[in-house]
Amino acid sequence: MSPLKTFLLVPALIGSVLSAFAGSYVPKDNEIQFRILQTTKDKALREVASTPFTRHEYSLLKSIDLDAARPSHEYFGIGVSMTDASCWLLSQMDIEARHKVLKEAFSSRGMNISMIRLNCGSSDYATELYNYNDHEGDVEMKKFSVARDEAYMIPIIKRVHSYRSDLFTYAAVWSVPGWMKDSGAMCGGSLLDKYLPSFAAYWTAYLKAYKERGVRIDAVSVQNEPGTDQRGGCPATLVSAKQEIELAGKLMPAAFKEAGLDTEIWLYDWDYEGRDRVNQMLADPDVKRNAAAVAWHPYAGKPEMMREVLKQNPGTKMHLTERGPNLALKDIQTPKWWSEVIFGALNNGCSSFTSWNLLLDEDGQPNTGRFPCGGLMSIDTETGKVSKSTQCAVFYHFSPYVKRGAQIMAIEQPDDALTAITFKNPDGQYVIVVAAGENPKVRQRFQVKFKNQYLAVCLPLNSWSLTTVIIDKQ
């Protein structure tokens, strides 16, 4: 059985599997109530047998110590990008097939995705390059129009909103119209200082237009990946730190206020390596007052670099806004690899993690750019069959169980070979997820310490594994 087929069982179906474990240990009323879920390369998500908590510590096992764990920051949710490419593919599906994909992604019985990221104008994942005002010199945005998006993008986004009332929607711009840049084109080039007010007006017009069409956008990042022009290979705009300070600190807040918009402004939206730029921007009092969060990407640098921002700016809210499958890295993007990326972001300060395109075809299309990205889900253009990426396996192991407003707990990692994260839900329930790579020689184990009692958890041989331990409020 292929790895992709092993974790397609969604949480809603777990109950049908439990009968196979009728002889497993069930905690008594006066014992710590818990359950363990596990996925391996040859077995789908299921509840597994376990011994009970005991007051005797397992001396040879590393611990996840809940008694010593302390709240780090608040969890907000898991997201995905509803790019033009994804919306177009969804619009081509029949109603039943589209419903199945969206329900799997956004319902609490599926991956429980609660955030979506939109593109203001085309990203590289679009059916064509486009912006909303190609009329040079129209600095007041009198000819601004999102009419193009009404064909399929806005209807699909509104359909996604119908799946959950708490959906958080945010947007990023890859390129403003070329006439605002020194290149004169959407692909590459730097934003010209004289068009900074027009940039703010462009954002304002977009938010108003979507609001008029029934789509509320809760936040925007000033500019996607502001430090690269992608060598002219796809829509991109170089925006300097000085320009972003002016936009986020003054121009955009003023324009939004005048338009009656309460949309949040997020900074940066690029790699961990840019923590010095982020600190530079947050040192500006106007930015500090008006920026609601910092957005990050994990393509360069390490997640621990975000802590340098938190050290200088305690309490800063952070979100990981883009990382999805790469078709050229299929062999290395295992569930363990994804756990390191996702948990690394969340454990080091991010409140959310957003995947890239929800849906692409088997070749990563539509794509006008230069990167070989795959979708969180992929559709076969010949058969119409939809398959899930390995990233989905990690989402299934915590997103359906962790509530918005949960605390991400600061813990010591149990072992160099394991990657772990711990959440405490608002009702006091704990959710622990541990990822392990394949180890054919040693059966890996760890223990959970809770209320001075210990639970031993055994991991399988010859397989990667994802293990979720859910400890109910006691």
Side-chain angles (χ1 to χ4, degrees):
M1 182 180 291
S2 71
L4 282 176
K5 294 180 180 177
T6 63
F7 52 79
L8 301 188
L9 181 66
V10 300
L13 302 181
I14 290 176
S16 64
V17 182
L18 299 187
S19 59
F21 296 96
S24 300
Y25 182 82
V26 178
K28 300 179 178 63
D29 289 342
N30 61 342
E31 295 179 331
I32 294 174
Q33 302 294 306
F34 70 95
R35 54 188 173 128
I36 300 176
L37 311 175
Q38 196 168 79
T39 302
T40 57
K41 68 180 181 181
D42 58 351
K43 292 183 180 179
L45 180 64
R46 66 213 185 275
E47 190 163 339
V48 297
S50 174
T51 55
F53 271 89
T54 174
R55 296 194 177 279
H56 301 287
E57 182 176 3
Y58 297 85
S59 60
L60 298 180
L61 301 186
K62 297 291 182 67
S63 292
I64 294 177
D65 189 347
L66 299 185
D67 294 336
R70 294 294 178 266
S72 172
H73 57 286
E74 192 172 280
Y75 172 79
F76 194 75
I78 291 299
V80 72
S81 296
M82 297 299 299
T83 56
D84 177 272
S86 293
C87 290
W88 184 81
L89 284 170
L90 286 164
S91 74
Q92 304 304 300
M93 302 173 73
D94 64 57
I95 294 175
E96 184 177 348
R98 181 167 63 241
H99 170 71
K100 186 175 181 181
V101 168
L102 295 180
K103 184 178 179 182
E104 187 69 19
F106 296 103
S107 77
S108 59
R109 293 176 176 268
M111 280 181 275
N112 199 35
I113 291 172
S114 61
M115 305 171 69
I116 57 172
R117 186 187 192 215
L118 308 182
N119 49 270
C120 173
S122 71
S123 69
D124 40 339
Y125 283 86
T127 57
E128 62 180 345
L129 294 179
Y130 65 92
N131 64 71
Y132 301 122
N133 190 350
D134 242 346
H135 299 86
E136 185 170 356
D138 182 18
V139 296
E140 295 180 356
M141 299 296 133
K142 292 181 179 179
K143 297 181 179 179
F144 184 98
S145 174
V146 296
R148 181 196 179 281
D149 292 3
E150 293 178 324
Y152 55 85
M153 194 164 184
I154 289 174
I156 291 295
I157 293 166
K158 292 178 75 171
R159 176 58 60 190
V160 171
H161 274 258
S162 73
Y163 280 81
R164 56 187 313 149
S165 60
D166 64 341
L167 189 73
F168 186 91
T169 303
Y170 68 102
V173 63
W174 275 250
S175 178
V176 290
W179 55 267
M180 294 187 192
K181 303 192 291 182
D182 61 4
S183 64
M186 288 187 63
C187 293
S190 299
L191 180 64
L192 294 169
D193 285 342
K194 67 179 181 179
Y195 288 125
L196 287 174
S198 301
F199 186 102
Y202 188 81
W203 260 127
T204 305
Y206 171 77
L207 295 173
K208 289 173 63 179
Y210 263 62
K211 183 179 180 180
E212 289 167 0
R213 288 156 179 80
V215 178
R216 171 185 167 83
I217 297 177
D218 300 291
V220 299
S221 58
V222 178
Q223 168 65 46
N224 177 69
E225 301 186 344
T228 178
D229 67 357
Q230 301 294 5
R231 300 194 296 275
C234 60
T237 305
L238 287 166
V239 175
S240 69
K242 182 180 178 181
Q243 289 175 323
E244 190 167 358
I245 288 171
E246 182 72 9
L247 288 164
K250 296 178 180 177
L251 297 176
M252 290 172 64
F256 291 1
K257 183 178 181 180
E258 184 178 353
L261 300 167
D262 60 356
T263 309
E264 291 183 1
I265 297 171
W266 293 359
L267 294 175
Y268 187 54
D269 214 2
W270 202 26
D271 290 331
Y272 297 140
E273 287 184 339
R275 74 279 200 192
D276 291 340
R277 171 174 169 147
V278 173
N279 279 330
Q280 176 190 349
M281 292 189 292
L282 288 173
D284 182 272
D286 289 328
V287 172
K288 190 83 167 181
R289 181 172 60 255
N290 289 304
V294 178
W296 299 95
H297 296 179
Y299 301 111
K302 297 180 179 180
E304 291 80 7
M305 292 176 175
M306 293 185 290
R307 294 191 175 275
E308 298 178 34
V309 173
L310 292 171
K311 184 178 180 180
Q312 292 192 34
N313 304 277
T316 299
K317 291 185 179 180
M318 297 178 171
H319 300 276
L320 194 296
T321 56
E322 181 187 302
R323 188 51 156 131
N326 186 314
L327 296 177
L329 301 176
K330 274 187 174 182
D331 292 341
I332 71 168
Q333 289 186 336
T334 64
K336 176 63 162 59
W337 186 94
W338 275 118
S339 297
E340 291 170 358
V341 174
I342 298 168
F343 300 168
L346 296 176
N347 277 331
N348 285 283
C350 287
S351 292
S352 69
F353 184 99
T354 295
S355 183
W356 194 198
N357 302 272
L358 171 64
L359 184 69
L360 294 175
D361 73 14
E362 68 274 25
D363 297 317
Q365 300 293 323
N367 179 4
T368 64
R370 50 189 295 269
F371 297 107
C373 296
L376 180 66
M377 301 184 194
S378 298
I379 184 168
D380 188 303
T381 52
E382 293 292 330
T383 66
K385 182 180 179 181
V386 174
S387 59
K388 301 182 182 72
S389 70
T390 51
Q391 190 180 38
C392 294
V394 183
F395 287 172
Y396 279 130
H397 262 270
F398 73 95
S399 185
Y401 314 108
V402 183
K403 311 302 181 186
R404 181 171 288 171
Q407 288 292 322
I408 298 174
M409 306 298 287
I411 61 167
E412 183 177 344
Q413 292 293 310
D415 191 288
D416 291 342
L418 304 177
T419 302
I421 191 167
T422 296
F423 305 89
K424 186 177 182 181
N425 275 322
D427 65 357
Q429 181 188 66
Y430 282 92
V431 179
I432 305 163
V433 188
V434 177
E438 290 197 34
N439 190 329
K441 297 181 180 179
V442 178
R443 185 178 293 281
Q444 299 173 92
R445 302 170 74 203
F446 65 93
Q447 63 184 329
V448 177
K449 179 175 181 282
F450 181 58
K451 293 190 173 183
N452 289 318
Q453 297 188 53
Y454 300 86
L455 173 70
V457 181
C458 188
L459 304 180
L461 282 169
N462 300 314
S463 175
W464 55 261
S465 63
L466 291 164
T467 301
T468 298
V469 181
I470 301 173
I471 301 175
D472 291 337
K473 179 183 178 181
Q474 305 299 309

